[in-house]
């Protein structure tokens, strides 16, 4: 029982804690890490590594409004890769948002708005399948272009 309690407090093999400000922003699982600074004389002093966070204004297309939030640079990179705030919130695994009240409530609102707009519930698996089909079709088209160019 003690081991389970200890394992639940450890994240990524080290001590980590979620900053209170992460509840109001998007941190994509980043947290405060702690450890030691070691000098040349091998003297150890406690220190903390804070997540790289910036305030940004992000636009939601489904809601038609902007949000000014604190966001980690890792979350910004993931938003760019996903194709926008809505895509990131809707298609990222919910476990990534366990420490953010903002992301959980925004996800619920976006899912409701998506269902009202499109008439169907959002399914991550069908989106991933469609993405794979598009990438296969793109690869086949590229192969056909290269084959036609050789003749």
């Amino acid at each position: 029982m003690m081991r389970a309690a200890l394992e639940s407090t450890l994240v990524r093999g080290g001590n980590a804690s979620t900053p209170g400000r992460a509840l109001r922003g998007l941190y994509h699982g980043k947290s405060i890490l702690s450890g030691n600074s070691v000098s040349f004389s091998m003297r150890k002093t406690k220190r903390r590594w804070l997540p790289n966070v910036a305030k940004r204004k992000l636009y939601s297309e489904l809601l038609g409004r902007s949000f000014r939030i604190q966001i980690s640079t890792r979350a910004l990179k993931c938003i760019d890769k996903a194709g926008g705030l809505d895509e990131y919130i809707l298609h990222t695994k919910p476990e990534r948002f366990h420490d953010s009240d903002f992301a959980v409530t925004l996800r619920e609102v976006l899912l409701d708005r998506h269902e009202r707009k499109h008439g169907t519930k959002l399914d991550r698996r069908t989106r991933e399948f469609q993405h794979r089909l598009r990438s296969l079709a793109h690869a086949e088209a590229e192969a056909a272009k290269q084959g036609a160019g050789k003749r």
Side-chain angles (χ1 to χ4, degrees):
M1 183 166 144
M2 182 68 149
R3 181 179 174 155
L6 181 63
E7 286 177 353
S8 67
T9 59
L10 297 177
V11 177
R12 288 178 278 164
N15 291 334
S17 64
T18 303
R21 60 189 177 156
L23 296 173
R24 298 178 301 276
L26 290 175
Y27 280 43
H28 196 78
K30 287 290 185 182
S31 58
I32 298 173
L33 297 177
S34 63
N36 293 314
S37 286
V38 182
S39 67
F40 177 76
S41 65
M42 302 301 284
R43 180 176 297 207
K44 295 170 182 68
T45 54
K46 289 299 253 182
R47 66 156 294 182
R48 300 183 326 156
W49 286 270
L50 300 175
N52 187 4
V53 176
K55 275 191 178 180
R56 291 287 181 263
K57 194 173 186 177
L58 300 172
Y59 182 74
S60 170
E61 294 175 4
L62 273 176
L63 300 178
R65 63 169 288 208
S66 296
F67 296 96
R68 187 163 177 81
I69 57 173
Q70 287 189 340
I71 185 166
S72 69
T73 52
R74 180 176 179 183
L76 272 174
K77 191 175 180 180
C78 293
I79 287 172
D80 285 342
K81 186 174 181 179
L85 179 64
D86 296 342
E87 296 294 319
Y88 169 73
I89 294 288
L90 291 174
H91 300 295
T92 301
K93 292 180 182 178
E95 296 88 47
R96 287 285 179 197
F97 305 133
H98 74 279
D99 59 347
S100 174
D101 292 342
F102 171 77
V104 171
T105 54
L106 183 60
R107 182 180 175 88
E108 291 171 0
V109 170
L110 287 175
L111 284 171
D112 182 49
R113 183 65 59 97
H114 182 273
E115 189 175 338
R116 276 194 274 144
K117 184 176 180 182
H118 298 289
T120 60
K121 287 192 173 186
L122 184 75
D123 186 16
R124 282 184 54 231
R125 280 181 258 141
T126 57
R127 179 182 179 267
E128 291 169 2
F129 180 71
Q130 290 170 350
H131 178 70
R132 277 193 225 122
L133 285 178
R134 278 195 301 268
S135 63
L136 283 173
H138 180 70
E140 288 175 1
E142 288 294 319
K145 277 185 189 177
Q146 289 177 354
K150 290 181 179 179
R151 293 180 191 180

